Amino acid sequence: MVASSDNNGFIPLAVPEIRGNEWKYVKECLDTNWVSSVGSFVDRFEDMLAEYVGSKHAVATVNGTAALHVSLLVAGIEPDDEVIVSTLTFVAPVNAIRYVGAWPVFMDAEPDYWQMDPKKLERFLAEECQWKDGVLVNKASGRRVRAIIPVHVLGHPCDMTPIMELANKYGLTVIEDATESLGAGYDGRLLGRFGDIACFSFNGNKLITTGGGGMIVTDNQEWADRARYLTTQAKDDPIEYYHNEIGYNYRLTNIQAAMGVAQVEVLDELIEAKRTIARRYDEELRSIEGLTLMPTQPETTPVYWLYTILMSPGTTLEERKETIKTLNQQGVGSRPLWHPIHGLPPYADCQSYQMDASMDLYNRAISIPCSSGLTEIEQQRCIDSLKAVLG
Ligand SMILES: Cc1ncc(COP(=O)(O)O)c(C=O)c1O
């Protein structure tokens, strides 16, 4: 294990932890020439992840965004359909909705736990949608409402019980974006087990990494087969180069999967390390007046992908930006939450529903270093800086 800080003593927000077998397994790929997207590590990585999450099938992809794109395709989401999605998220799941020609409808975050607000979701479906000839239609746009993408942000779960009840009541497909939350639990089950299909990311800053990579998990055999087909250029006859459909070059390589296998082997240890760091931050930062600590919902077991705090109510965007600048100058890597997507230029004309909490969270939130390899000395430096800057 190596300390997280770089040669200048700067502590980044999230760095990978390479414990050892990554070298061995990647060397095996290089030694045997199995470097591309066919190879035993791809199968092993898929099997290990499916077993870890508790899913019947897993399909490895080049990244989490591709996993989301293909999930929407296999779920049959079509051009001009609508998909309800969290506004407080990294932009990838929303872009994926547009890749298939569908439209996002943005749902606000709820203020206490920062995830998709199930009460607003319920109100939107009851008041803003109607059934027409057996199809759920958005009254404002006249389009079919087909799916929900709850994004489990920061390593914490969305409130899946009410979300799944609503999805069942309204016949909506649920695609979980669990890219930031591998290993997090809700009501006794791991994320990725609630929706019809779910996606993970193994980008360099994620809990485990393959450099870049993603995974689709589902219990639906047909969808898994189709995801495998679409991600490998939709090859119907690989000898004759015959393709019945337009496919994608979205499969993970064996080299990347080799890294993934080594990372899954230590996943539980990495999660435990992050939970320990989060507990220490909770204890130490509690005394800073006005600060809101990262909340944990009852009956959940978060993985604290990015430990995030809220500055006091009423903090302006400028004050938050200045604070992040100061922390970074002090060598404590910090950054804000994502700008709520409904306010970004490509999505400004899309429907957003009763936005309120997400902008306030964006104005006040700061994510601080929480790599699994963060040493106690580095943790103390972060705590001291935060106390000095915010106390
Ligand atoms: C919520 C969310 N969805 C999707 C992605 C996309 O994953 P990738 O970077 O592997 O494409 C990310 C992050 O990277 C993310 O944070």
Side-chain angles (χ1 to χ4, degrees), residues 85-89 91 94 104-108 317 338-353 355-356 358-359 362:
V85 62
S86 314
T87 191
L88 194 65
T89 170
V91 72
V94 185
V105 173
F106 294 107
M107 203 42 63
D108 201 11
L317 184 57
W338 321 271
H339 190 293
I341 311 297
H342 71 276
L344 298 183
Y347 297 108
D349 292 338
C350 295
Q351 188 176 5
S352 52
Y353 185 67
M355 289 301 159
D356 166 23
S358 51
M359 232 29 225
Y362 166 68

Side-chain angles (χ1 to χ4, degrees), residues 87-102:
T87 191
L88 194 65
T89 170
F90 181 60
V91 72
V94 185
N95 287 344
I97 294 170
R98 290 300 297 131
Y99 296 166
V100 302

Side-chain angles (χ1 to χ4, degrees), residues 61-68 88-94 149 151-154 177-181 199-206 211-215 305 335 338:
T61 57
V62 282
N63 53 48
T65 310
L68 285 157
L88 194 65
T89 170
F90 181 60
V91 72
V94 185
I149 303 186
V151 186
H152 307 292
V153 290
L154 301 169
D177 181 339
T179 46
E180 301 179 3
S181 303
C199 301
F200 295 99
S201 164
F202 312 113
N203 185 19
N205 65 1
K206 293 296 186 292
M215 193 74 79
W305 170 56
R335 76 176 192 205
W338 321 271

Side-chain angles (χ1 to χ4, degrees), residues 200-311:
F200 295 99
S201 164
F202 312 113
N203 185 19
N205 65 1
K206 293 296 186 292
L207 243 120
I208 59 168
T209 185
T210 57
M215 193 74 79
I216 297 168
V217 296
T218 180
D219 281 354
N220 186 322
Q221 169 93 56
E222 206 181 306
W223 286 12
D225 290 345
R226 187 154 169 72
R228 209 161 268 126
Y229 173 72
L230 288 175
T231 53
T232 47
Q233 302 280 30
K235 261 184 228 142
D236 290 282
D237 185 335
I239 310 283
E240 297 297 330
Y241 299 107
Y242 197 82
H243 308 262
N244 274 305
E245 287 189 52
I246 299 171
Y248 302 86
N249 187 9
Y250 274 179
R251 273 300 257 177
L252 193 73
T253 67
N254 205 40
I255 294 182
Q256 290 167 306
M259 227 182 129
V261 167
Q263 291 265 286
V264 179
E265 285 172 355
V266 295
L267 174 55
D268 281 334
E269 291 167 41
L270 303 187
I271 290 174
E272 204 34 60
K274 282 178 86 78
R275 287 182 176 148
T276 306
I277 295 166
R279 275 196 297 273
R280 172 132 188 247
Y281 278 157
D282 281 353
E283 276 162 29
E284 294 273 358
L285 301 178
R286 194 176 304 287
S287 58
I288 300 178
E289 213 184 306
L291 197 76
T292 301
L293 297 178
M294 188 165 204
T296 297
Q297 297 177 70
E299 309 297 323
T300 68
T301 47
V303 290
Y304 304 94
W305 170 56
L306 286 186
Y307 189 94
T308 303
I309 50 178
L310 292 187
M311 291 177 67

